[in-house]
């Protein structure tokens, strides 16, 4: 910050003190009806926020200054946060009055009321209602090798959800992708995180002592009012997670400067309690955001979300990020969805009731942090009024989960009754506007209001009296903040003004006067208004405290409402899209009949999507089990899918993964029938992408993701792979793809769908018992190709790449020339490959070979020349005859290989 003036004013002294406390945050300094920024903050604000840069004290060293009206605070906070910065809000406060700075004597006292960053936002205007807003802290050593264990804790302060975990550093990237924090808190002593982990996220460094184990335990115990954290399910192995949780709380205490009583528990997150999905898989499957533009629309979440509340939308997103692996829990959800699916009218009535509720979770956060408004309390009241109807609809349900949700709904009748008696039907946005307490709630408030209303009547009577006594027919009574109440007389009646009228202001066409009698009554009226507002503010504080004291009961109720919304929305989705209940089992099998891609089934025109099924089962051997408990090896653990581009291979394999995931969150699926065996992990290596920022080519990214799959997949995993090995030379890529399939089959045995253009891989079905070939059906008709998008048994015999190029708009002359070259290459390859092994030396691209060629990958084909060699009896020939015969064979080989591409 620029140097301060040598003799700053008292107000600027306040500014410098506040700025010292704000640190690197932009200080928004309240001055009357404006928030002002000074010095370097003003220059930054002018650049980032588009404010006009002016100056204060037009001296030799003017102070840079920029500002905006106080009522625009939320919009400018949003701009500051989106720019990756933080803001300190410094408000005017009273030092001797509960009514605010208006009653303060001398210079108004100012204090920082909060520091706002991406992870500490509680205001609705700054939050996406359908998305959780996580702040995450990491407890890391100074250097973090792959074998290091780290602790992490994450919280959504807008709802109070707080969790902690301990896991290997190597898994941290996947966990960050799962949680999706907007801000990450690190120790100043911790090593830097990889750039891809922090991209798009705010990074905040904190003192190392904030992550200390003793400080963390003490702070957490104080927050929850306990002696230890044993009751929350944490043990000695969780210390790093608790250190991260302590750092989170320390940061929130410093920035919020208010009560955090809505944060009343810390939940342990156990790795393995949910289906594991790495970052690349989340991206490839477009679970919550599309690959192309990062939008929610077009993702799985976007098409599945039929929720009617913000709480339900956030919970559905959480379910998709954390699918279950416990069959009993999944089936409990499915039972609830099934009952509401069968009872259409019940589901509809529940959804209608929920539409009238408000976001109780975020309302409670604002209440407990002291930032709630009268309108927020009225929203709490209206939500409580809906609870009896929702609870009644769930009474007597057969699904155990619905019974549990009904029991968790606390009607909180005492709180509702007090709020309904106290609050008016329409409440203002701010408490200082007044008028939000019902008449009849407090006698002293009613008395002040009667005095105010009587004062208005008195004013009318006094106006009539003045006109009668003075003979001035058009005397008006008005009010402004400078003079208070006044009498206005036109210039034409100036000579009739009596001596007791005291002139206060001259206008173009009139004069304004006051009288002792008018001034005396004005003081009574204004005093009544101020006293009435003070009483309302007192009532508001009491009501806010009442709700805050009931926060834990209301939070449990809010969580129940969110889950009811999700279950009812899944039932509505299943009903409207003709989904079926999957059978979810522990055995690693997967059988889907007439399955449909959940996104394309909705986004494509009705009836155009072609359903396809799948049947595969993991090859579980005696490895790691007693022989008596071993399951027999089964066929079709690996499915190889061949066929042309645009035919639907990638869509098909993604579809299988998405239906599995949907089943494990407890959703019905788009299919005629489905049996889904629990997957512990889903891996998807689909599409091509590079990472130029880290110097990684498309092929390097592909191999890195493939390595992760091969190193971490288990027999209970589901793996989908698309075009492995296409980023390098034909033989390298083919060899790698071949080896990957063999490893998945022999060493892991998990359910695998492998889409490829390497038709040579289809030979694996002959040598590996668990490999089966599928292909996408194609119809050739009068020189044209029709993609049927139907998955059928067997291997494809062509790639139809030239036909796809034609559909893409490649010029006709290019396509015709390509056909000529293809015919020549296929002819040459047909001749040459009968005398050489496919992998002995460089060869043409696999997709240009004929089916006959592709089926001779690692064995020598029958050929007349080979037959001649085998049948020749060298012992019966003279040396000259042998020499002539060999020369003849050489000429024959050279003739067949002449002109072959190298």
């Amino acid at each position: 910050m620029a140097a301060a003036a040598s003799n700053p004013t008292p107000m600027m002294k306040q500014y410098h003190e506040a700025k010292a406390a704000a640190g690197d945050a932009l200080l928004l300094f309240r001055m009357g009806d404006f928030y002002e920024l000074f010095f370097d903050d003003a220059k930054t604000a002018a650049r980032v926020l588009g404010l006009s840069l002016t100056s204060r004290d037009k001296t030799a060293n003017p102070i840079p200054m920029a500002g905006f009206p106080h009522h625009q605070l939320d919009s400018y906070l949003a701009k500051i946060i989106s720019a990756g910065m933080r803001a300190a809000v410094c408000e005017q406060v009273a030092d001797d009055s509960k009514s605010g700075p208006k009653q303060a004597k001398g210079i108004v006292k100012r204090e920082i009321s909060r520091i706002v960053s991406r992870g500490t936002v509680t205001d609705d205007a700054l939050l996406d209602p359908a998305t959780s807003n996580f702040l995450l802290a990491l407890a890391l050593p100074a250097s973090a090798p792959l074998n290091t264990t780290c602790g992490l804790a994450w919280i959504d302060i807008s709802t109070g959800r707080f969790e902690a975990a301990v896991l290997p550093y190597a898994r941290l990237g996947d966990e960050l992708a799962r949680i999706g924090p907007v801000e990450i808190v690190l120790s100043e002593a911790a090593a830097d995180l990889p750039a891809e982990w922090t991209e798009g996220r705010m990074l905040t460094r904190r003192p190392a002592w904030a992550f200390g184990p003793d400080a963390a335990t003490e702070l957490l115990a104080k927050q929850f009012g306990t002696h230890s954290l044993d009751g929350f399910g944490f043990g000695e192995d969780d210390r790093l997670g608790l250190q991260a949780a302590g750092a989170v709380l320390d940061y929130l205490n410093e920035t919020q400067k208010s009560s955090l009583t809505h944060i009343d528990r810390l939940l342990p997150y156990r790795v393995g309690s949910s289906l594991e999905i790495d970052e690349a898989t989340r991206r490839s499957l477009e679970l919550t955001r599309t690959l192309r533009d990062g939008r929610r629309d077009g993702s799985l979440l976007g098409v599945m979300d039929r929720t009617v509340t913000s709480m339900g939308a956030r919970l559905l997103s959480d379910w998709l990020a954390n699918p279950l692996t416990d069959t009993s829990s999944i089936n409990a959800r499915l039972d609830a969805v099934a009952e509401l699916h069968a009872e259409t009218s019940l589901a509809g009535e529940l959804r209608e009731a929920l539409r009238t509720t408000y976001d109780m979770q975020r309302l409670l956060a604002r209440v407990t942090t002291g930032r709630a408004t009268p309108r927020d309390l009225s929203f709490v009241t209206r939500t409580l009024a809906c609870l009896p109807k929702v609870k009644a609809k769930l009474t007597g349900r057969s699904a155990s989960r619905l019974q549990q949700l009904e029991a968790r709904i606390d009607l909180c009748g005492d709180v509702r009754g007090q709020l309904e008696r106290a609050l008016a039907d329409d409440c203002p946005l701010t408490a200082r506007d007044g008028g939000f307490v019902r008449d009849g709630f407090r006698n002293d408030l009613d008395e002040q209001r009667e005095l105010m209303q009587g004062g208005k009547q008195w004013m009318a009577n006094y106006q009539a009296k003045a006109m009668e006594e003075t003979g001035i027919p058009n005397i008006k009574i008005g009010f402004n903040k400078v003079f208070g109440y006044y009498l206005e007389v036109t210039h034409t009646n100036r000579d009739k003004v009596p001596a007791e009228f005291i002139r206060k202001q001259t206008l173009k066409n009139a004069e304004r006067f006051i009288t002792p009698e008018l001034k005396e009554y004005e003081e009574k009226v204004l005093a009544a208004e101020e006293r009435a507002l003070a009483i309302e503010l007192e009532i508001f504080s009491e009501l806010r405290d009442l709700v805050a004291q009931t926060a834990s009961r209301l939070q449990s109720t809010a969580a129940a409402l969110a889950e009811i919304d999700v279950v009812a929305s899944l039932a509505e989705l299943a009903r409207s899209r003709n989904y079926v209940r999957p059978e979810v089992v522990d055995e690693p099998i997967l059988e889907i009949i007439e399955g449909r891609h959940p996104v394309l089934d909705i986004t494509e025109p009705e009836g155009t999507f072609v359903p396809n099924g799948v049947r595969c089962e993991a090859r579980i051997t005696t490895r790691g089990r007693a022989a008596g408990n071993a399951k027999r090896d089964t066929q079709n653990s690996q499915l190889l899918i061949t066929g042309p581009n645009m035919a639907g291979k990638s869509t098909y394999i993604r579809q299988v993964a998405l239906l599995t995931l949907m089943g494990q969150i407890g959703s019905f699926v788009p299919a005629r029938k489905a049996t889904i065996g629990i997957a512990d992990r889903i891996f998807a290596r689909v599409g091509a992408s590079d990472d130029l920022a880290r110097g990684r080519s498309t092929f390097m990214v592909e191999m890195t993701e493939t390595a992760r799959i091969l190193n971490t997949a288990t027999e209970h995993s589901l793996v989908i792979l698309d075009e492995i090995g296409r980023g390098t030379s034909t033989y390298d890529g083919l060899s790698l793809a071949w080896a990957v399939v063999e490893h998945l089959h022999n060493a892991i045995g998990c359910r695998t769908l492998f889409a490829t253009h390497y038709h040579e891989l289809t030979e694996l079905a002959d040598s590996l018992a668990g490999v089966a070939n599928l292909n996408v059906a194609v119809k050739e008709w009068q020189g044209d190709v029709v993609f049927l998008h139907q998955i059928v048994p067997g291997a494809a015999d062509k790639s139809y790449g030239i036909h796809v190029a034609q559909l893409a708009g490649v010029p006709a002359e290019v396509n015709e020339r390509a056909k000529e070259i293809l015919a020549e290459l296929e002819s040459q390859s047909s001749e040459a490959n009968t005398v050489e092994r496919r992998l002995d030396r460089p060869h043409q691209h696999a997709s240009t070979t004929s089916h006959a060629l592709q089926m001779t990958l690692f064995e020598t084909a029958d050929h007349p020349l080979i037959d001649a060699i085998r049948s020749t009896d060298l012992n019966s020939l003279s040396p000259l005859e042998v020499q002539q015969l060999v020369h003849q064979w050489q000429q024959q080989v050279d003739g067949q290989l002449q002109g072959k591409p190298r």
Side-chain angles (χ1 to χ4, degrees), residues 382-506:
R382 295 177 191 179
T383 302
L384 292 176
C386 298
L387 296 183
K389 181 183 294 186
V390 175
K391 192 175 180 70
K393 295 296 179 185
L394 294 178
T395 301
R397 296 295 106 203
S398 58
S400 61
R401 192 61 190 159
L402 294 180
Q403 295 172 5
Q404 294 166 10
L405 292 172
E406 186 272 337
R408 286 172 55 190
I409 297 178
D410 188 335
L411 299 181
C412 298
D414 51 340
V415 178
R416 174 190 170 190
Q418 184 74 345
L419 292 174
E420 287 180 336
R421 287 190 295 273
L423 294 175
D425 293 334
D426 295 314
C427 291
L429 278 173
T430 63
R432 294 198 172 279
D433 290 340
F436 53 84
V437 177
R438 287 186 186 276
D439 291 336
F441 181 71
R442 280 264 296 263
N443 292 334
D444 54 349
L445 176 60
D446 291 342
E447 292 172 0
Q448 299 303 319
R449 285 177 171 174
E450 288 174 6
L451 181 58
M452 291 163 54
Q453 293 168 357
K456 292 177 182 177
Q457 182 60 47
W458 184 92
M459 292 292 176
N461 294 338
Y462 182 74
Q463 180 183 24
K465 175 184 173 183
M467 286 190 293
E468 181 180 353
E469 292 179 349
T470 62
I472 301 173
N474 56 355
I475 290 180
K476 296 179 181 178
I477 288 187
F479 177 84
N480 65 31
K481 293 182 179 180
V482 178
F483 304 119
Y485 287 101
Y486 57 81
L487 297 168
E488 185 173 293
V489 180
T490 61
H491 288 322
T492 57
N493 293 301
R494 188 186 309 168
D495 57 340
K496 297 180 182 180
V497 174
E500 64 267 23
F501 278 32
I502 303 171
R503 182 183 290 107
K504 297 300 293 184
Q505 188 179 20
T506 300

Side-chain angles (χ1 to χ4, degrees), residues 61-120:
N61 295 304
I63 300 173
M65 175 179 177
F68 55 86
H70 72 95
H71 62 271
Q72 295 179 0
L73 176 62
D74 283 348
S75 64
Y76 280 103
L77 282 177
K79 292 180 180 179
I80 292 170
I81 290 171
S82 64
M85 298 182 292
R86 68 190 85 242
V89 182
C90 187
E91 297 285 9
Q92 299 174 165
V93 297
D95 52 5
D96 61 354
S97 171
K98 294 182 179 180
S99 299
K102 185 176 180 181
Q103 283 72 35
K105 302 297 186 285
I107 186 170
V108 177
K109 184 179 179 181
R110 293 174 173 86
E111 291 180 351
I112 294 178
S113 61
R114 55 180 167 147
I115 298 176
V116 182
S117 63
R118 287 188 181 180
T120 62

Side-chain angles (χ1 to χ4, degrees), residues 326-641:
D326 178 67
T327 52
S328 61
S329 299
I330 295 170
N331 282 306
R333 287 181 182 177
L334 286 170
D335 288 343
V337 174
E339 186 163 353
L340 295 184
H341 178 264
E343 306 244 7
T344 305
S345 60
L346 170 64
E349 291 166 357
L350 273 174
R351 285 164 58 81
E352 283 304 310
L354 289 171
R355 286 182 199 275
T356 60
T357 65
Y358 292 84
D359 195 337
M360 182 76 84
Q361 293 171 330
R362 288 184 170 170
L363 287 172
L364 289 173
R366 292 200 293 278
V367 167
T368 57
T369 55
R371 299 192 182 104
T373 67
R375 188 166 295 178
D376 287 335
L377 292 186
S378 72
F379 290 163
V380 172
T381 308
R382 295 177 191 179
T383 302
L384 292 176
C386 298
L387 296 183
K389 181 183 294 186
V390 175
K391 192 175 180 70
K393 295 296 179 185
L394 294 178
T395 301
R397 296 295 106 203
S398 58
S400 61
R401 192 61 190 159
L402 294 180
Q403 295 172 5
Q404 294 166 10
L405 292 172
E406 186 272 337
R408 286 172 55 190
I409 297 178
D410 188 335
L411 299 181
C412 298
D414 51 340
V415 178
R416 174 190 170 190
Q418 184 74 345
L419 292 174
E420 287 180 336
R421 287 190 295 273
L423 294 175
D425 293 334
D426 295 314
C427 291
L429 278 173
T430 63
R432 294 198 172 279
D433 290 340
F436 53 84
V437 177
R438 287 186 186 276
D439 291 336
F441 181 71
R442 280 264 296 263
N443 292 334
D444 54 349
L445 176 60
D446 291 342
E447 292 172 0
Q448 299 303 319
R449 285 177 171 174
E450 288 174 6
L451 181 58
M452 291 163 54
Q453 293 168 357
K456 292 177 182 177
Q457 182 60 47
W458 184 92
M459 292 292 176
N461 294 338
Y462 182 74
Q463 180 183 24
K465 175 184 173 183
M467 286 190 293
E468 181 180 353
E469 292 179 349
T470 62
I472 301 173
N474 56 355
I475 290 180
K476 296 179 181 178
I477 288 187
F479 177 84
N480 65 31
K481 293 182 179 180
V482 178
F483 304 119
Y485 287 101
Y486 57 81
L487 297 168
E488 185 173 293
V489 180
T490 61
H491 288 322
T492 57
N493 293 301
R494 188 186 309 168
D495 57 340
K496 297 180 182 180
V497 174
E500 64 267 23
F501 278 32
I502 303 171
R503 182 183 290 107
K504 297 300 293 184
Q505 188 179 20
T506 300
L507 305 177
K508 180 179 180 180
N509 297 315
E511 299 275 356
R512 289 178 176 175
F513 303 88
I514 63 171
T515 67
E517 186 178 7
L518 182 62
K519 205 66 181 173
E520 179 183 355
Y521 211 88
E522 172 197 304
E523 292 176 358
K524 292 181 180 180
V525 172
L526 293 180
E529 289 179 357
E530 291 183 2
R531 178 58 186 150
L533 179 58
I535 294 172
E536 285 201 80
L537 292 175
E538 181 183 330
I539 294 171
F540 173 68
S541 179
E542 292 172 354
L543 294 175
R544 189 175 59 193
D545 291 344
L546 173 65
V547 174
Q549 291 164 7
T550 325
S552 60
R553 294 163 59 192
L554 294 173
Q555 281 180 327
S556 178
T557 297
L561 292 178
E563 187 168 342
I564 295 166
D565 186 18
V566 172
V567 170
S569 74
L570 292 178
E572 167 61 21
L573 176 66
R575 184 199 62 77
S576 64
R577 302 303 306 176
N578 196 29
Y579 288 7
V580 299
R581 174 175 180 164
E583 180 184 2
V584 179
V585 298
D586 288 317
E587 293 77 16
I589 63 175
L590 186 60
E591 183 173 11
I592 297 171
I593 301 175
E594 294 183 13
R596 310 188 301 276
H597 192 289
V599 177
L600 298 181
D601 184 47
I602 291 177
T603 58
E604 293 292 307
E606 187 71 28
T608 60
F609 188 85
V610 178
N612 279 296
V614 65
R615 173 72 173 89
C616 63
E617 183 172 355
R619 292 176 52 79
I620 301 179
T621 66
T622 58
R623 174 166 40 94
R625 292 179 174 84
N629 296 326
K631 184 176 180 179
R632 67 176 180 85
D633 284 356
T634 60
Q635 295 295 320
N636 302 351
S637 60
Q638 274 78 39
L639 302 178
L640 292 175
I641 304 102

Side-chain angles (χ1 to χ4, degrees), residues 831-837 841 860 863 865-866 893 896-897:
E831 297 172 0
N833 275 274
T834 58
V835 293
E836 64 177 39
R837 304 168 77 109
R841 50 182 167 173
T860 303
H863 189 275
L865 179 59
I866 296 175
V893 171
Q896 290 179 345
L897 295 181

